[in-house]
Amino acid sequence: MMQGSSIAHSTRRLYVARRLWLTGWLLCVSGLAAHAAPAAPNWATQLTPLERRAQADILPLTLHYDISWSQWLQAGTVRVTVQPQSGRANAMMTAQARARSIGAVQAFWPYESSLNAEIWRQTLLPAQFDLTQIKNGERKTDQATYHQQQRMQVESTLTSASGRMKHTTHTHELEQIRDLLSLLLFLQQTELRLNQSLTLLVQPTDRLYRVSLRVVGHEARQVFETTWPTLKLTVSVQRVTPDLKLASYPKLRQATLWLSEVERVPVELQAELRVGSVAMRLRRLER
């Protein structure tokens, strides 16, 4: 009897242990399912992959732009610098952009910003970026990190002119998200053909936008004292909502971009905004 009782007791303990293990496993699976990334929307599967043009190389360069508003009022300046890094088989690049308002525009809309990014040389996708914007005494910082090129998280801090601070976090489980500087490199390095359309997912700050471009022709474009052989592209933008749907972007009515044929850098951007027309024109290119 003692032996039978011992066997029965051991059997019950084994049964309880198995139930506990099964319950724990189910809870683990349920938890993983609850935190699994939502399925990517259909439009996210239609993004244009990188197709490098023949013999394209990434060289150090600095671009100086003037920004004008309503075709005549000088509004600001932008400086962009791209610097490939040595070491690690040149795996990483750094890029910076600085922008500020000037002149009469600065009097009623004081603005300055700095953007620093690290970009993978092989994929031209960002590894991280830091953006600081100061306007009308308000300061906003966005610090984005890209995890295995499939998950982006951006920490934002908004500091009002009175010193009050607000922190937010946005996470996007999507592939091929590009910041503005990696977008610039993508256009420089990818193959572009007449009538070709490109669809890109762009994150200029802490929000996502779907940017559609179409190569519509070749044009000799005079910008300041230089006439550039260019590719002319039309640009349209849609907002990506928090539930990953596409919505209109009424702030931008239409835009046209001219890329130099040889260097493949923007030499002019004309945009019709809700507040008027804005132009960004290349003043100087330094190699």
Side-chain angles (χ1 to χ4, degrees), residues 119-172:
I119 301 166
W120 294 106
R121 183 165 188 149
Q122 182 177 1
T123 62
L124 300 184
L125 288 167
Q128 64 181 40
F129 80 78
D130 297 317
L131 171 65
T132 299
Q133 299 180 87
I134 302 173
K135 52 185 176 182
N136 293 323
E138 183 179 83
R139 180 186 180 93
K140 186 173 185 289
T141 62
D142 298 302
Q143 296 180 318
T145 305
Y146 300 81
H147 303 276
Q148 297 180 351
Q149 302 173 0
Q150 296 178 343
R151 178 175 179 268
M152 182 280 297
Q153 180 172 301
V154 56
E155 303 283 346
S156 301
T157 301
L158 179 64
T159 305
S160 68
S162 62
R164 296 184 61 182
M165 301 178 69
K166 179 182 178 181
H167 301 278
T168 57
T169 300
H170 294 282
T171 302
H172 302 290

Side-chain angles (χ1 to χ4, degrees), residues 23 32 61 63 81-82 88 105 117 137 169 181 196 205 217 224 231:
T23 301
L32 290 174
L61 58 83
L63 307 168
T81 302
V82 176
R88 288 195 296 170
V105 172
T169 300
L181 293 172
Q196 180 183 2
T205 56
F224 297 115
L231 289 171

Side-chain angles (χ1 to χ4, degrees), residues 2-55:
M2 291 291 293
Q3 184 177 6
S5 176
S6 177
I7 293 174
H9 185 63
S10 297
T11 302
R12 284 195 299 271
R13 284 192 301 173
L14 180 60
Y15 173 76
V16 171
R18 290 177 61 187
R19 289 295 301 270
L20 288 173
W21 177 85
L22 180 60
T23 301
W25 184 81
L26 289 173
L27 287 173
C28 181
V29 171
S30 298
L32 290 174
H35 292 87
N42 289 335
W43 59 262
T45 65
Q46 302 168 2
L47 299 176
T48 303
L50 175 64
E51 181 187 356
R52 287 189 184 273
R53 60 193 180 106
Q55 299 178 341

Side-chain angles (χ1 to χ4, degrees), residues 44-88:
T45 65
Q46 302 168 2
L47 299 176
T48 303
L50 175 64
E51 181 187 356
R52 287 189 184 273
R53 60 193 180 106
Q55 299 178 341
D57 195 13
I58 301 173
L59 301 174
L61 58 83
T62 300
L63 307 168
H64 298 265
Y65 293 95
D66 286 357
I67 298 177
S68 60
W69 180 46
S70 296
Q71 298 183 351
W72 60 271
L73 180 61
Q74 191 172 8
T77 61
V78 177
R79 186 184 76 234
V80 177
T81 302
V82 176
Q83 183 63 53
Q85 292 183 3
S86 59
R88 288 195 296 170

